């Protein structure tokens, strides 16, 4: 996803909440979160652990695991894992830390998704060599081939690339993973155009060409509910936009006998977004013959007051969304309120310059990015460091 400024005000149409009705056990196979941090500092590679990037907090993962989540997507940087070129050898320290995080997750009985969070790039350049990409995946897959609860995500959010290249890179990854001896695991294939569900049928139809001898391809899509689908605003277009934006992709999965997973989704802490998220998940669960579940973006120790933070115990989404999400956790049951609207719902939002009293950004707080109007000075002794074009952070 793209990260940018946080919006703090929204005008909402009124909502009427019907009384809760009984809900059967969730039919999703997986439901969880992204555990962000090791992919941070993309403009300072390889960077320094604890300064430019951080690994997820295991206690926080355990809290979400105890709540019922059973899948955690772990973003990392290809350049840190295998520096000096995709055909090289792993960095022993970064690989050990990745394994430690993954093993913690899988030993708890949950699934860990290996997510090279690179957007189809290596050192900022579009990956064009399927051979080199295959060698990267061969090296990685051999390290995790014996762990049946690992899922291989070919790459995060391919974008602005030739469509045939995206298909070929995915196929090269699948072939290399299987040839490396990793034959029991699922593989998440991502598409072009930020792997958006709402553009899937227009952009990624030829992804149905992918083949796997183990027949364990799952198509990972992402979907945000703000006006441009970028996940950069806490405002959602309407209370029904979630369902609307995944309907075409759902039909594509059905028509092509494929399976899908919503690897990133989120919404702001307001009633319209909550209704939109709930409606989308209800619709996906009704179509769980093709949807295996989803993972919220994002948890992680450096998100501070990020509008979508699911990091326990104080993340904005953790406080506002956990109870809404819980009934969708795999195997969960219990009352799930059904939201109805009295009128067409839309939101408008305007940025405020700075939260009250926040003239100086604290450690891990946002201090810059495209369009950012909040504080740009960090509390001592921290410095404002660019994470990407949309997000700078006090580190």
């Amino acid at each position: 996803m793209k990260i940018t400024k946080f919006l703090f005000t929204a005008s909402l149409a009124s909502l009427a909440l019907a009384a809760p009705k009984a809900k059967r056990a969730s039919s999703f196979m997986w439901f969880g979160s992204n555990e962000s941090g090791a992919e941070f500092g993309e403009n300072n590679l390889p960077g320094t652990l604890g300064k430019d990037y951080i690994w997820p907090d295991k206690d926080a993962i355990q809290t979400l695991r105890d709540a019922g989540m059973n899948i955690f997507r772990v973003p990392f940087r290809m350049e840190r894992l295998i520096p000096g070129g995709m055909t090289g050898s792993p960095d022993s320290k970064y690989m050990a830390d990745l394994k430690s995080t993954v093993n913690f997750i899988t030993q708890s009985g949950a699934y860990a998704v290996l997510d090279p969070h690179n957007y189809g790039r290596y050192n900022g350049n579009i990956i064009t060599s399927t051979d080199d990409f295959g060698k990267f995946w061969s090296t990685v897959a051999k390290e995790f081939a014996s762990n049946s609860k690992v899922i291989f995500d070919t790459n995060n959010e391919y974008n602005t690339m030739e469509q045939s290249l995206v298909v070929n890179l995915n196929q090269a990854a699948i072939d290399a993973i299987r040839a490396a001896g990793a034959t029991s695991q699922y593989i998440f294939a991502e598409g072009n155009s930020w792997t958006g569900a709402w553009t899937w049928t227009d952009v990624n139809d030829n992804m149905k060409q992918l083949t796997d001898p183990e027949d364990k391809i799952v198509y990972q899509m992402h979907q945000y509910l703000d006006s441009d689908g970028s996940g950069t605003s806490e405002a959602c277009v309407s209370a029904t936009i979630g369902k609307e934006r995944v309907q075409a992709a759902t039909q594509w999965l059905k028509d092509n006998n494929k399976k899908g997973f919503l690897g990133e989704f989120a919404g702001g802490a307001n009633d319209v977004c909550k209704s939109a998220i709930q409606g989308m998940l209800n619709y996906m669960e009704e179509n769980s013959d093709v949807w295996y579940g989803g993972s919220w973006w994002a948890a992680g120790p450096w998100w501070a007051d990020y509008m979508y933070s699911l990091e326990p115990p104080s993340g904005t989404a953790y406080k506002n969304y956990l109870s809404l999400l819980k009934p969708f956790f795999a195997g969960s049951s219990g009352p799930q309120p059904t939201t109805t609207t009295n009128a067409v719902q839309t939101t408008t939002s305007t940025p405020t310059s700075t939260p009250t009293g926040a003239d100086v950004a604290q450690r891990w707080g946002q201090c810059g990015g495209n369009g950012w109007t909040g504080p740009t000075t960090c509390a001592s002794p921290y410095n404002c460091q660019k994470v990407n074009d949309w997000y700078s952070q006090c580190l």
Side-chain angles (χ1 to χ4, degrees), residues 40-41 51-52 301-304 361-368 378 382-387 391-395:
F40 274 35
K51 178 181 178 183
D52 301 299
W302 279 4
W303 281 123
Q362 302 301 309
R363 186 183 186 188
W364 302 328
Q366 185 172 7
C367 56
C378 296
Y382 307 110
N383 297 311
C384 188
Q385 297 188 30
K386 182 177 179 180
V387 175
Y391 190 72
S392 296
Q393 186 176 40
C394 292
L395 299 171

Side-chain angles (χ1 to χ4, degrees), residues 134-146 152 173-183:
K135 289 176 181 176
F136 169 86
W137 268 115
S138 178
T139 300
V140 176
K142 287 176 182 177
E143 299 283 346
F144 295 93
S146 63
F152 301 103
I174 294 166
D175 294 345
I177 290 166
R178 297 309 185 207
T183 57

